[in-house]
Each structure stands twice: as structure tokens, then as C-alpha cells.
Amino acid sequence: MATTAAAVWGRAEQQDFRARVRGCLLGTAVGDALGTGDEAFGRRGAVTSATQMSLFTVDGLIRAQVRRDTGAWHPPTDIHRAHLRWAATQRDWGPDERRKDNGWLAREEWLYARRNPPRACLTGLGDERIGTLAAPKNPEAADSGALARSAPFGLLVGWEPQLVCQLAVECAAQTHGAPAATLAAGALAVTVHGVARGGSVEAAVARALELLAGRPGHEPVTEALTAAVGAVREGVPDAGRVTGLGAGEDRAEAQLATAVYCALVAEDVRHGLRLATVHDGPASVTGAVAGALLGALHGETALPPAWLAELEGRATVLELADDFSMEMTQGAALHTATESSPGWLSRYPRA
């Protein structure tokens, strides 16, 4: 098979990318678990639907690349199908072994636990009609449910940031139609994209603000991000500044701004995540978003080992992260229009 991707990605670049992908996905889960609280759901390190849906977002991104060989190239559709597979985990008792098109992730039994899924996610994925920007599902939904699953779009480091933003926005509209909710998802994706490419959080946020400007309804997100950047200069970070950014409210732009602020002022990952979750709002979302940013920025080795040791589903997260890295760097060696690895297609069916 062709090995074009391997020629484009040097070994050091592949290793750096893999570390950032692992950091982003593990950081999402660790922050989610920290925000959920000790002994939530009967165990330490338990995650919520924020992590579950993020994993299915990654699964959809891999499937989109695999399906491209067939000439079918519409990532929003593949992401929607992946999220429908997540929705099935919230209805069914366990994996349906008769479904050969589910792939390996939908056979992971631990993902079938119902962990506070946002209502808009359940209703938006309650049937097979796909929401679009022109006709979104739940047009009034402005909570952080779509934001919580959108960091993985930023790991498409080979894409231009405006395309990453557009994909995240379109996919957010599949469950959340309020402009602030969709644009917050796009802004997060662009910010993750910037740091995953090796840039600073400050530069990535500035790029996100540039891409938001001119989009209808961008003002709440723009104002929230601008406030987050401004808060960095106001003194020592504390719970009061986090609360002042709206962390206690389940609005997508408030959770994004809080997470960005915590990533900007973090002394290290532990400090950033503790700061992101020290409020009475949807702390699992703020923790997940801050964890995604800090993990993509610093890589997996910066995450606290003791927190990782207790993390629910850690092996699954690592396996999926490495599959994503392999697909993005070695995809041409795994599948083409004429020749493919049967094992890879079993994991990520084209159907």
C-alpha cells in the first residue's frame, strides 16, 4: 500500500502529535471526572456524557477519513452517525452484537452507563434526522452540551482553522441550535487546533475571535472570550474570578470562557483543572474543556499520574487516541480505494 502519510509526517512530529492527542482526550476525561466529584456514580474517577460523547466524536472523525476512500466525504454526516451510536448507548442495556457496523467503540460496555446526558443531546439525537445550521435541532438550546464534545475537532491539525471551526459549528447544530452554543463549539475547536499545532493559548484564542467576527450571533461568545483574556491581567486567579466569568451558569459561552481563563493562568495542569472545577455550575463541562486545552497544549505526560490511575475507561481513551493518531498520520497505509486492512475496517466500518 501507499505510505504517503508516513513521508509527510516525520517520526518526531508523529510522536508529538500522538502525545497531544492523548493529552487532549485524557485531559477531557480527567477534567470531567474532577468536576463530577469524588465517589460520583459509585466510584472515583467516574466520567460523564462529556467524555462519552467526545470519544464518539473521535470515532466519527476516524470513520469520515475511512469513508473518504469510497468517494463519500461529508464529515458532519459521519459525526452524526457516531453520535447516534452514542445515543443508542443511552437507551440500550448493552452492545448489540448483531450490529456489525458499530465498530469497536460501541461494543465497550462501560460506555452504556447513563451519566447526566444533556436533554438537548438526547432529544436532538432521538431520531435520525440530522440538524443543520439552516434547520438546527433544538433551536433555543444554549447550554454547554455541544461544547463539551467539540474539542476533538481541533485535533484535525492538517486542516485550516476556518474549516475546523465550520465543522464544529455544523455538528453542534445537530443538537444545539442557539448561535452562542454552536459558535462556542467552533471557538473551542479553533483554540484546541492552535495549541495542538504548537501555538500558545493566547494566540489560539485570538484566532478564534477573528473567525467568529462577522458570524451572526457571535457577540455573546466574543464578549465572554474577551472577558476571559482580560481577567488574566486582573490579579491572582481565584474562585471569585472563575465565578465572575459565569462558571455557575450552564451557558456554552460561559463554560468556554471559564475553561480558557483557567488554561491561560494555569501554573500546571493540576492547578488549572482545580481552578476550573471550583464552582457550583456544570463543573464537569468546565473541567473537561479546560482539560482538553491543557492536555493538547502540554501532552499526556503533564497530566497528574494519580488522577489518571483512577480514571474510568482510561484504556479505551488511550486506544482511541492512538487509533486517531494512526489514522491521521498513517491512514494511506491502512486503507485506499482499492486495498485496505481488514482489521482496521472491522474497527471502523465504512457503513
Side-chain angles (χ1 to χ4, degrees):
M1 289 188 192
T3 56
T4 307
V8 173
W9 291 76
R11 184 175 297 276
E13 292 174 314
Q14 290 183 43
Q15 291 175 343
D16 179 74
F17 178 62
R18 179 172 177 263
R20 292 179 188 274
V21 171
R22 281 185 159 203
C24 183
L25 299 188
L26 286 170
T28 295
V30 166
D32 179 14
L34 185 66
T36 302
D38 291 342
E39 305 298 336
F41 305 109
R43 59 159 292 164
R44 291 176 64 86
V47 300
T48 73
S49 60
T51 294
Q52 293 175 340
M53 294 199 76
S54 293
L55 297 181
F56 277 94
T57 298
V58 176
D59 179 67
L61 290 172
I62 296 174
R63 295 276 196 110
Q65 291 294 112
V66 172
R67 280 171 51 82
R68 192 173 189 174
D69 294 336
T70 68
W73 177 241
H74 191 247
T77 296
D78 292 298
I79 298 300
H80 184 242
R81 288 173 174 169
H83 289 159
L84 288 176
R85 291 192 290 275
W86 168 80
T89 70
Q90 306 300 287
R91 297 190 303 268
D92 299 342
W93 289 102
D96 185 349
E97 299 297 337
R98 297 169 297 179
R99 291 290 305 272
K100 301 305 180 184
D101 60 339
N102 268 346
W104 75 277
L105 187 65
R107 293 195 291 269
E108 293 288 290
E109 293 188 6
W110 71 276
L111 289 171
Y112 284 73
R114 190 157 177 158
R115 298 290 176 76
N116 297 338
R119 176 177 173 79
C121 291
L122 293 175
T123 59
L125 299 166
D127 57 50
E128 295 193 359
R129 182 179 72 82
I130 185 171
T132 65
L133 289 175
K137 291 287 191 72
N138 300 314
E140 303 302 320
D143 63 80
S144 54
L147 173 76
R149 65 179 189 250
S150 295
F153 295 115
L155 298 174
L156 295 169
V157 297
W159 289 34
E160 291 302 310
Q162 61 268 28
L163 297 179
V164 169
C165 182
Q166 184 64 24
L167 178 59
V169 167
E170 288 186 23
C171 291
Q174 294 172 7
T175 59
H176 289 69
T182 60
L183 294 178
L188 172 61
V190 173
T191 306
V192 171
H193 185 259
V195 298
R197 280 182 159 186
S200 67
V201 178
E202 295 90 336
V205 172
R207 184 65 174 127
L209 287 169
E210 289 176 8
L211 291 176
L212 289 182
R215 282 182 175 259
H218 75 91
E219 290 84 0
V221 183
T222 296
E223 291 169 7
L225 284 175
T226 301
V229 173
V232 175
R233 299 186 293 271
E234 293 176 0
V236 177
D238 57 24
R241 300 194 193 286
V242 167
T243 303
L245 291 168
E249 305 172 35
D250 192 6
R251 292 180 292 111
E253 71 273 19
Q255 296 307 310
L256 173 63
T258 303
V260 164
Y261 170 75
C262 293
L264 284 168
V265 301
E267 297 171 2
D268 56 24
V269 174
R270 186 187 301 273
H271 173 246
L273 290 183
R274 287 201 182 280
L275 188 63
T277 54
V278 63
H279 61 85
D280 295 328
S284 61
V285 174
T286 325
V289 174
L293 287 167
L294 290 165
L297 179 66
H298 298 296
E300 62 172 315
T301 57
L303 300 173
W307 293 356
L308 287 173
E310 297 177 335
L311 183 63
E312 180 182 26
R314 177 166 56 98
T316 301
V317 177
L318 283 170
E319 189 172 357
L320 186 66
D322 289 350
D323 279 2
F324 180 85
S325 300
M326 185 176 296
E327 174 61 40
M328 296 303 148
T329 62
Q330 304 287 333
L334 291 167
H335 54 85
T336 69
T338 58
E339 188 177 0
S340 301
S341 165
W344 197 249
L345 294 188
S346 175
R347 292 175 69 75
Y348 301 102
R350 286 175 172 151

